[in-house]
Amino acid sequence: MSLHRRSLAQLAAGLRKKEFSSVELTRALIDRIEQAQPGLNAFITVTGVSALAEAAAADRELQAGRGGPLTGLPLAHKDIFCTEGVRTSCGSRMLDNFVAPYDATVVTKLKAAGTVMLGKTNMDEFAMGSSNETSYYGPVKNPWNPGLVPGGSSGGSAAAVAARLVPAATATDTGGSIRQPAALCGITGLKPTYGRVSRYGMIAFASSLDQGGVLTGSAHDAALLLGVIAGFDPRDSTSVEREVPDYVAALERPVRGLKIGLVKEFFEKGLEAETERRIRDALAHFTRLGATLTEVSLPNLALSVPAYYVVAPAECSSNLARFDGVRFGYRCREPRDLTDLYCRSRGEGFGAEVKRRIMTGTYVLSAGYYDAYYLKAQQVRRLITDDFARAFAQVDVLMGPTTPTPAFALGAKTSDPITMYLNDIYTIGANLAGLPALSIPCGFVEELPVGLQLIGPHFGEEVLLGAAHAYQRETDWHTRVPVTYE
Amino acid sequence: MKREQIESIAHLARLELKEAEVCAYQESLTKILDFVGELERANTQGVAPMAHPLAGLTQRLRPDNVTESDQHERYQVNAPRVEAGLYLVPKVIE
Amino acid sequence: MSEAGWETVIGLEIHAQLATRSKIFSGSATAYGAPPNEQADLVDLGYPGTLPVLNAEAVRMAVKFGLAIGATVAPTSVFARKNYFYPDLPKGYQISQYELPIVARGALEIVLDDGSRKRVGITRAHLEEDAGKSLHEGLGSLTGIDLNRAGTPLIEIVSEPDLRSAKEAVAYLKKVHTLVRYLEICDGNMQEGSFRCDANVSVRRRGTERLGTRAEIKNLNSFRFVEKAIHYEVDRQIDLLEGGGKVVQETRLYDPDKGETRSMRSKEEANDYRYFPDPDLLPVALSSALIEEVRKSLPELPDEKAARLSSQYGLSAYDAGVLSASRELADFYEAVVRGAPKDPKLAANWVMGELAAALNRDSLEISASRLTAAQLAGLLQRLLDATVSGKIAKEVFEGMWSSGRDADAIIEERGLKQITDSGAIERAIDAVMAANPGQLAEYRSGKDKLFGFFVGQVMKATQGKANPAQLNELLKRKLAP
């Protein structure tokens, strides 16, 4: 099998058996990336030179019989993670000239594990979007159909993995930004429990919702990577001090006896018929494996999108205040005075969706409106979290669609923000409650991938990965590659 | 949303507001606020607001040690305008 | 000065920099005086992706303060973001505390000029981070930003509007100043900006309950400026109101050169800070065990110390108050008493008199005194055992101060021992009497006033070393007709 179609686990084995070197592998993938770039636009920065140096170093380690399970394996980082000495743009003109002076903890950990960074992937600006159409660097195309979106905000990472330009990529998920692109691109995407992965060095969008995760070809690969990036970080006060289990070992958990909850509200109007059929097929498969299906209800689910669109903009309006043209980032030309410096640097540096959310967030926090919007949203957040807790008292995992439809056309939803926001209806709840969630491919509708979402209780990644792995052992949806990229 | 509201929010957020944008913001913000206005219907009597998904966890305290050293030359490479170690902005009159 | 018919109402907001080694949310040093931006790390600079982590010592210091003012220390407190744009505020928000501060209601007692005591309420005290500094000089049309100070821990202490005059305000300010130094949570250096005060001043017609509109006065970095600024502002407001005008709620700057307050036109009138709980920080939980541990570590507080000095050493309330103005001074005094236990009042007089004058003259703090407490005690011993007279002792003190040597060494070297040998004194008296026959005759014929002349002459002849009491007695006898 060609190198680019192999999983992380297979590549690791190949490197160890000296079938090929990390330098060879890296070179091959850099070539693929460069060839694919004009058509896909998955990358903002390709770090070809340093990648080869890292690969060479990895090869030396492997030669000397040292190194670990990930030594020499290539991957890409979403351009939201600070990478020392390399441009970190967050998909924005505001940071187009920003070279990070430090590594995010996620980057440090993966570096220490011996991985090789091939580049920084494209994304919706400041992680705000569900289609990767708001990037300063232009939209990313869906490898299955270049007229369609790959999903967002981690569209670049998802497209890169789906097109087999890299076997894996890091990403972030605030309202579905890992899972939704995973579904639209036919790959596996994992958002860990809030606090499982350090946010240090991960440019903040909405601090109480953001979580770093991975996009890969399989649950096995996701488990491999999660084991490296998970863990307490003293630099992040919201990072949880909790042992990191052996996620790879957990993959072998049996599905027999697994209690799957079907959220009634996930299957109501809005879910496209064919998509629903693929989901039901996948659920039937789980039943054959010995799992049971129970209907549960999350009665406040409908409020999750409005609650999110109060909390996230509020937090982002404050998080993005540091971008003022003073210490780093974009500065307007010849500012007349301080106010002009701020207003024009920010007005010119930020794109329309980012500004819209800053305006919304500023408004909902302002005097007289705090109680009606922000406070109310945080109360609804508790209601939703309690709903999930009640569900998990009855079942082990929730399953349902990741998105209401497969990938949609570029430009189809950009005119009305609300239509775009409704894309996130199945995914947002997990962010509000801080729960771990996974999306795996489970079929096709008109040759476009469909994703099955699994949501677990806090720190229930092992349950999710085990169930996903069991499914992937017996199906091959996750091995399909778009024809153009075979 | 009224024009004055848009202008005052844009000023609080230090975002330059072009004439063409005012209308666009009025429209989109009104839509968004209508949409999130749905929250009003929720019964939240006596429900404590949730600022963090990590229920019951409390802030870790860090020992009082100096762990950072002077790196200003490295950091100021990113600065738009620096002189004598100071970040420069148009004069602020107090 | 408030005119009759008007009442002044003042509340003070004090920002005290906590004396931690590192900043409140980052591991940068807090030492004063570093070159620009050499003590500002990525967290302080608000770099994208950076996060705050709370300094344990800042929390302990805040708890210490809360306990010392008899306040409730909140078992749970929350950090909130105060959002506004200013170049010395890197993140575009200040991490502070809003609805749930770490310290709730407390109080301090102040002593007024007439000796009466007044209770001043403290609404709350909370933790927050300091901003950086703006430099406007020498940069033409630009302002330079130094972020070394950004992130230094502050405790903001808000008083109730209980103060009724500039004098009360200064007394309260001094009380807090002394307290934070006692607790060793702040060095109180107003010139360096580690202890800052804003005053909220309003006036109202005597007898009315409603508070008048207040103005906030900033940039008060000495006790003198606080007093002057308040006086000016009160007069300004009264003049305004009596002329039919209205006081505008605004921020004003005190200009020490002109001695007046000026409106700060560049700051927004009503800043909407959009406070919300900081999502990067979790609620701060304080166990009763930790609070007890801090309580046990509290030093003897100023009031307690003053009361004890008064009762233990028989000092007046005033003297005890002066000596307990700082822990170092009180400790020094008590060490002197230990070295010369027979007369604590004498020790008090010397510490508050000669020693204080010398420290003042040389602009020194007690900790930099050129004399140790033991050395001063040594001098007092020589006074008490009549080796030297009071007047000579002052000369010895000066000698000790300039050389750093012990009393005995100075006395020996300069031959300053008091003459207590009656024979020697009598001989000196005889000589003076013989040399001044005219005055002798006048004295003996009734001019009593000349006694002092003879005392002076004998003192001169003995270089001031004659024991005054003996001299008096012998002179009286010999001069008698």
Side-chain angles (χ1 to χ4, degrees):
Chain A
M1 192 204 291
S2 40
L3 289 180
H4 64 267
R5 293 192 65 147
R6 298 191 200 190
S7 70
L8 282 176
Q10 289 168 330
L11 289 171
L15 283 171
R16 202 147 293 112
K17 285 194 235 144
K18 307 219 193 319
E19 274 175 40
F20 47 86
S21 66
S22 177
V23 168
E24 286 170 322
L25 176 59
T26 299
R27 229 181 239 131
L29 291 177
I30 298 278
D31 283 346
R32 278 183 70 79
I33 289 170
E34 281 167 359
Q35 273 184 37
Q37 184 61 13
L40 211 54
N41 201 23
F43 281 81
I44 291 174
T45 304
V46 180
T47 51
V49 174
S50 58
L52 288 169
E54 287 173 25
D59 281 333
R60 282 194 294 276
E61 285 291 288
L62 290 166
Q63 290 273 29
R66 289 192 297 264
L70 296 184
T71 304
L73 292 181
L75 48 67
H77 286 296
K78 181 175 180 179
D79 211 10
I80 198 171
F81 289 99
C82 286
T83 42
E84 186 174 347
V86 176
R87 169 174 62 181
T88 301
S89 75
C90 227
S92 180
R93 183 185 196 193
M94 182 58 84
L95 292 178
D96 178 47
N97 67 355
F98 179 68
V99 175
Y102 73 109
D103 278 336
T105 299
V106 164
V107 172
T108 304
K109 287 185 159 190
L110 286 166
K111 235 189 220 175
T115 61
V116 174
M117 176 174 77
L118 300 191
K120 308 296 292 298
T121 58
N122 203 343
M123 52 181 283
D124 274 309
E125 187 181 3
F126 282 104
M128 297 180 208
S130 314
S131 64
N132 218 133
E133 292 176 287
T134 68
S135 170
Y136 175 63
Y137 301 93
V140 176
K141 316 291 174 55
N142 190 317
W144 296 91
N145 181 332
L148 306 181
V149 303
S153 62
S154 312
S157 284
V161 173
R164 302 306 192 266
L165 307 182
V166 281
T170 57
T172 62
D173 189 312
T174 304
S177 295
I178 290 178
R179 294 160 284 156
Q180 186 249 22
L184 301 191
C185 288
I187 56 176
T188 299
L190 171 66
K191 176 197 98 64
T193 308
Y194 186 87
R196 179 79 280 187
V197 174
S198 169
R199 292 187 300 115
Y200 186 75
M202 207 173 94
I203 298 177
F205 158 21
S207 317
S208 75
L209 300 165
D210 295 343
Q211 191 54 195
V214 293
L215 286 160
T216 64
S218 67
H220 187 134
D221 284 358
L224 263 175
L225 292 174
L226 184 61
V228 172
I229 64 174
F232 171 67
D233 181 5
R235 289 188 189 270
D236 175 1
S237 295
T238 59
S239 159
V240 176
E241 273 178 277
R242 189 191 168 105
E243 217 186 287
V244 177
D246 184 344
Y247 293 114
V248 176
L251 293 168
E252 300 309 320
R253 296 163 78 112
V255 168
R256 183 155 300 283
L258 184 71
K259 290 188 284 207
I260 298 172
L262 296 185
V263 178
K264 177 164 139 276
E265 291 80 10
F266 281 170
F267 293 90
E268 284 170 351
K269 68 179 191 311
L271 176 58
E272 197 255 334
E274 283 301 307
T275 302
E276 181 172 351
R277 236 162 253 141
R278 299 293 95 76
I279 302 295
R280 299 265 180 213
D281 289 344
L283 293 170
H285 193 112
F286 275 102
T287 326
R288 281 197 298 281
L289 287 173
T292 57
L293 301 177
T294 313
E295 190 183 78
V296 295
S297 173
L298 299 175
N300 292 291
L301 191 78
L303 294 171
S304 61
V305 185
Y308 173 85
Y309 281 100
V310 169
V311 173
E315 293 182 4
C316 101
S317 70
S318 179
N319 284 331
L320 268 59
R322 66 192 64 207
F323 300 108
D324 56 10
V326 177
R327 300 163 313 290
F328 48 77
Y330 180 83
R331 176 186 278 212
C332 63
R333 291 190 52 198
E334 292 167 24
R336 287 188 309 271
D337 54 38
L338 188 65
T339 304
D340 188 45
L341 172 71
Y342 288 149
C343 291
R344 269 199 300 130
S345 297
R346 292 163 60 78
E348 293 166 12
F350 290 137
E353 181 61 30
V354 168
K355 288 193 279 192
R356 197 158 33 225
R357 296 206 195 183
I358 291 175
M359 294 282 282
T360 307
T362 304
Y363 180 79
V364 303
L365 287 175
S366 63
Y369 299 106
Y370 180 88
D371 283 6
Y373 290 108
Y374 188 78
L375 195 62
K376 189 83 183 179
Q378 296 286 41
Q379 287 175 306
V380 166
R381 184 176 186 172
R382 189 174 293 283
L383 291 179
I384 291 168
T385 303
D386 289 349
D387 283 354
F388 275 107
R390 264 189 294 275
F392 285 119
Q394 301 176 261
V395 299
D396 303 317
V397 61
L398 302 174
M399 291 194 192
T402 307
T403 59
T405 67
F408 47 90
L410 285 158
K413 304 197 184 186
T414 46
S415 52
D416 181 10
I418 305 294
T419 321
M420 188 69 85
Y421 295 169
L422 288 171
N423 263 305
D424 305 326
I425 196 155
Y426 305 128
T427 51
I428 274 179
N431 299 87
L432 289 170
L435 300 169
L438 185 54
S439 179
I440 53 174
C442 68
F444 286 83
V445 170
E446 288 171 21
E447 295 170 24
L448 294 174
V450 170
L452 173 73
Q453 182 179 215
L454 292 76
I455 305 174
H458 288 117
F459 300 102
E461 286 86 355
E462 293 139 282
V463 178
L464 302 180
L465 291 165
H469 182 69
Y471 180 81
Q472 288 178 342
R473 247 206 317 249
E474 303 208 348
T475 59
D476 70 350
W477 303 116
H478 63 291
T479 65
R480 307 284 183 88
V481 180
V483 171
T484 324
Y485 297 97
E486 276 166 355
Chain B
M1 289 228 82
K2 298 201 198 74
R3 164 178 269 256
E4 306 88 69
Q5 285 175 294
I6 299 291
E7 283 171 352
S8 108
I9 298 167
H11 182 63
L12 274 179
R14 296 300 187 274
L15 291 173
E16 176 188 43
L17 200 56
K18 298 223 170 81
E19 190 50 50
E21 287 170 314
V22 179
C23 267
Y25 277 129
Q26 276 178 286
E27 208 189 300
S28 55
L29 250 58
T30 305
K31 266 200 190 146
I32 294 169
L33 292 170
D34 278 344
F35 174 66
V36 302
E38 290 240 336
L39 291 173
E40 220 191 313
R41 297 195 287 119
N43 182 2
T44 51
Q45 264 285 27
V47 178
M50 193 172 146
H52 288 107
L54 303 171
L57 290 186
T58 54
Q59 177 64 31
R60 221 188 102 250
L61 298 178
R62 183 195 106 228
D64 183 26
N65 293 323
V66 175
T67 55
E68 307 299 315
S69 60
D70 172 30
Q71 301 270 321
H72 81 280
E73 277 173 24
R74 219 161 54 89
Y75 299 158
Q76 289 184 344
V77 165
N78 272 312
R81 268 197 89 164
V82 160
E83 197 182 290
L86 295 164
Y87 294 97
L88 299 181
V89 296
K91 200 175 195 93
V92 181
I93 307 143
E94 251 160 16
Chain C
M1 283 167 292
S2 48
E3 304 182 19
W6 289 100
E7 183 177 46
T8 304
V9 176
I10 303 160
L12 292 187
E13 273 169 31
I14 298 170
H15 287 90
Q17 274 183 358
L18 296 178
T20 54
R21 283 194 294 265
S22 62
K23 296 189 179 178
I24 189 172
F25 295 119
S26 80
S28 298
T30 53
Y32 182 83
N37 291 303
E38 287 189 15
Q39 274 173 198
D41 78 350
L42 295 172
V43 176
D44 306 328
L45 293 168
Y47 258 63
T50 56
L51 297 168
V53 188
L54 182 58
N55 184 327
E57 190 58 25
V59 174
R60 291 187 85 253
M61 289 183 170
V63 173
K64 249 190 185 173
F65 182 79
L67 293 173
I69 61 168
T72 317
V73 174
T76 304
S77 64
V78 171
F79 282 102
R81 294 189 184 179
K82 179 179 183 182
N83 298 280
Y84 66 96
F85 283 89
Y86 206 67
D88 65 8
L89 194 68
K91 296 187 291 296
Y93 60 85
Q94 176 196 32
I95 302 178
S96 177
Q97 294 190 301
Y98 186 58
E99 288 176 337
L100 280 180
I102 189 166
V103 170
R105 301 190 62 95
L108 273 182
E109 212 179 57
I110 57 174
V111 179
L112 306 174
D113 274 351
D114 63 0
S116 63
R117 303 183 149 258
K118 178 178 174 141
R119 183 186 170 284
V120 179
I122 291 174
T123 318
R124 54 184 272 157
H126 68 253
L127 283 168
E128 59 183 28
E129 55 178 352
D130 208 347
K133 278 206 185 124
S134 307
L135 286 100
H136 308 290
E137 311 306 315
L139 293 163
S141 63
L142 302 169
T143 290
I145 308 295
D146 174 10
L147 295 167
N148 283 344
R149 200 181 66 176
T152 305
L154 293 178
I155 186 170
E156 178 175 331
I157 304 160
V158 183
S159 82
E160 293 285 319
D162 289 346
L163 303 160
R164 293 287 172 270
S165 70
K167 279 217 145 59
E168 285 186 16
V170 173
Y172 166 76
L173 190 61
K174 285 187 170 168
K175 196 66 191 274
V176 177
H177 189 253
T178 299
L179 182 60
V180 299
R181 280 159 49 243
Y182 255 71
L183 296 172
E184 292 180 310
I185 63 177
C186 174
D187 69 6
N189 189 327
M190 293 175 90
Q191 277 96 316
E192 289 182 358
S194 52
F195 190 82
R196 317 198 285 259
C197 170
D198 298 335
N200 288 306
V201 181
S202 68
V203 297
R204 64 184 173 191
R205 292 256 178 221
R206 234 170 248 292
T208 38
E209 277 217 19
R210 256 186 71 214
L211 291 170
T213 311
R214 63 170 208 265
E216 183 185 10
I217 309 174
K218 292 181 109 71
N219 194 34
L220 300 167
N221 55 15
S222 78
F223 297 122
R224 243 182 71 236
F225 289 171
V226 170
E227 192 165 353
K228 288 177 146 197
I230 293 175
H231 279 140
Y232 177 88
E233 182 60 20
V234 167
D235 285 346
R236 183 190 78 87
Q237 290 192 12
I238 291 175
D239 284 347
L240 190 60
L241 291 167
E242 286 189 337
K246 275 207 173 112
V247 175
V248 175
Q249 179 166 335
E250 60 181 351
T251 307
R252 298 178 72 84
L253 262 189
Y254 178 65
D255 182 342
D257 299 322
K258 296 211 179 109
E260 55 187 37
T261 65
R262 256 190 352 259
S263 180
M264 282 177 81
R265 245 172 293 263
S266 63
K267 283 229 166 143
E268 277 173 52
E269 295 308 342
N271 232 326
D272 183 354
Y273 294 120
R274 289 158 280 136
Y275 285 98
F276 71 101
D278 193 328
D280 290 330
L281 292 162
L282 299 175
V284 183
L286 294 174
S287 65
S288 31
L290 181 135
I291 296 177
E292 269 324 294
E293 187 214 306
V294 175
R295 191 191 298 279
K296 288 207 186 86
S297 79
L298 285 178
E300 187 180 33
L301 298 179
D303 283 354
E304 296 165 3
K305 196 181 283 292
R308 183 178 60 78
L309 292 182
S310 185
S311 69
Q312 194 172 335
Y313 303 114
L315 304 176
S316 70
Y318 178 80
D319 287 356
V322 171
L323 289 169
S324 58
S326 79
R327 261 169 90 178
E328 292 87 357
L329 187 61
D331 289 348
F332 190 98
Y333 167 70
E334 291 201 84
V336 173
V337 173
R338 275 195 297 280
K342 269 211 212 109
D343 196 340
K345 284 205 185 129
L346 181 70
N349 289 337
W350 274 81
V351 170
M352 294 192 299
E354 260 64 42
L355 182 68
L359 288 168
N360 233 349
R361 197 182 58 219
D362 293 353
S363 299
L364 293 172
E365 294 294 328
I366 184 74
S367 47
S369 168
R370 301 225 173 114
L371 278 189
T372 65
Q375 286 175 314
L376 182 56
L379 174 58
L380 296 183
Q381 290 285 49
R382 291 293 162 262
L383 241 187
L384 289 167
D385 67 22
T387 305
V388 290
S389 65
K391 196 148 171 246
I392 296 294
K394 290 188 187 175
E395 204 187 309
V396 177
F397 178 87
E398 289 307 321
M400 290 168 74
W401 187 261
S402 50
S403 69
R405 293 161 73 223
D406 286 356
D408 284 345
I410 304 290
I411 292 170
E412 187 63 46
E413 182 184 279
R414 301 192 194 182
L416 293 173
K417 262 199 186 144
Q418 197 167 224
I419 300 172
T420 49
D421 170 12
S422 322
I425 298 179
E426 282 194 54
R427 279 195 295 283
I429 292 174
D430 289 340
V432 164
M433 282 167 66
N436 296 283
Q439 286 87 334
L440 181 57
E442 281 181 58
Y443 177 80
R444 280 182 172 154
S445 63
K447 225 174 175 190
D448 290 335
K449 275 201 284 201
L450 283 172
F451 187 82
F453 167 78
F454 283 102
V455 170
Q457 289 301 304
V458 177
M459 274 302 188
K460 212 164 114 197
T462 60
Q463 291 110 32
K465 290 186 289 193
N467 178 305
Q470 278 174 280
L471 167 56
N472 262 333
E473 205 199 297
L474 290 167
L475 195 57
K476 250 201 216 118
R477 216 176 356 105
K478 285 197 163 242
L479 288 179

